[in-house]
Amino acid sequence: SRLGCRHALTPSTAALGLPDRIVTRPATRRVRSSRSMSAAHAADAPPLPGRLDPARTAVFVCDVQERFRTVIHGFDHCVHVSSMMLRAGKILGMPAVVTEQYPERLGATVDELAPNLDPRAPPVAKKLFSMITPEVDERLGGMNRDQAVLMGLESHVCVFQTAMDLMARGWEVHVLVDGVSSQRPTDRAAALRRLEASGAMLSTSEMALFDLLKTAEAENFKAVSAIVREKRPEPPLPSL
């Protein structure tokens, strides 16, 4: 029979020199719940690239000045997003860097942003296209930050060169596409493509703010979400 055949092929315990009765105990291993394992993994894992952290982030507002108001495509969007991010930055404890390109000829930062500027860190006048002037570079050295949310103008000149200079210094740069523009939409589109290809992360103001909050239970959720819900200028800037 199949049973007999199996017994015939199976050596006895005596033939193997083993005791007649082998007592086995099931292995005991403490099994952690999936919830505790997930929490432990999250605590031990390094931060994911691209996830914004208020403790690591600084707000960069590039050259949103009065003289550009009538020549920049979608200028009101740059003003609105800059205002949003400066106000949210104060709520979340994020420092801001604001620059002005050749203000003697191009005017100061627009009045709409004045109430949100930190008097301890006034706008930096510059002739360099990039925001990363020696004065700004010195400020960055004392910030202990390595993530930037960047907005302003023009996309293909000052914003582009600022992002490249920050990335060269090891910063992770998030360009807010609803808050950057140029005189010509084609230049804006080319800048965004080039920035993404170079390693910058394309985002929006709403995307960035909710990433900074992480949860509806965040202490500052109501204050920041109220900023997000504000009416936006129309028409919207071109999509990517």
Side-chain angles (χ1 to χ4, degrees):
S1 69
R2 291 176 60 193
L3 184 62
C5 180
R6 185 180 66 186
H7 280 209
L9 294 174
T10 305
S12 68
T13 55
L16 294 173
L18 299 174
D20 290 336
R21 184 167 178 238
I22 301 176
V23 179
T24 60
R25 298 180 184 276
T28 58
R29 183 167 62 92
R30 185 180 178 184
V31 179
R32 300 165 68 181
S33 70
S34 60
R35 179 176 297 181
S36 64
M37 290 176 70
S38 298
H41 177 75
D44 296 338
L48 289 172
R51 295 306 305 274
L52 288 166
D53 179 350
R56 297 173 55 198
T57 302
V59 176
F60 288 76
V61 177
C62 184
D63 306 349
V64 183
Q65 295 162 253
E66 191 59 44
R67 183 70 177 272
F68 294 117
R69 189 181 293 272
T70 59
V71 297
I72 295 295
H73 179 74
F75 182 81
D76 289 346
H77 289 276
C78 298
V79 175
H80 181 78
V81 168
S82 297
S83 174
M84 287 177 62
M85 297 307 299
L86 286 170
R87 286 178 285 143
K90 286 184 177 181
I91 294 169
L92 297 173
M94 301 185 300
V97 177
V98 181
T99 59
E100 296 171 347
Q101 180 71 18
Y102 203 176
E104 296 85 358
R105 292 190 60 182
L106 301 175
T109 299
V110 295
D111 290 341
E112 295 96 317
L113 301 184
N116 308 312
L117 300 179
D118 185 348
R120 298 168 298 178
V124 176
K126 66 183 180 70
K127 291 184 180 178
L128 194 69
F129 293 136
S130 171
M131 293 179 71
I132 313 305
T133 65
E135 181 178 344
V136 169
D137 211 12
E138 186 176 350
R139 284 192 194 181
L140 300 185
M143 278 187 184
N144 195 28
R145 307 278 163 147
D146 64 354
Q147 292 181 316
V149 286
L150 174 61
M151 66 226 73
L153 44 102
E154 289 188 63
S155 310
H156 63 297
V157 184
C158 298
V159 170
F160 170 75
Q161 293 187 30
T162 299
M164 298 297 282
D165 284 349
L166 284 169
M167 289 188 290
R169 287 160 171 77
W171 284 60
E172 182 182 278
V173 178
H174 297 246
V175 179
L176 304 188
V177 299
D178 56 340
V180 297
S181 197
S182 300
Q183 294 185 54
R184 292 170 291 275
T186 303
D187 286 330
R188 175 180 178 271
L192 294 175
R193 285 178 177 270
R194 176 83 182 275
L195 284 164
E196 186 174 35
S198 299
M201 298 190 179
L202 303 188
S203 187
T204 67
S205 53
E206 182 171 339
M207 183 179 181
L209 288 174
F210 282 128
D211 191 25
L212 286 159
L213 288 170
K214 300 289 189 296
T215 171
E217 295 179 331
E219 178 183 358
N220 297 305
F221 173 77
K222 287 186 177 180
V224 173
S225 61
I227 293 173
V228 172
R229 292 195 303 271
E230 292 174 355
K231 182 176 176 59
R232 305 292 184 100
E234 294 288 345
L237 285 169
S239 59
L240 300 180

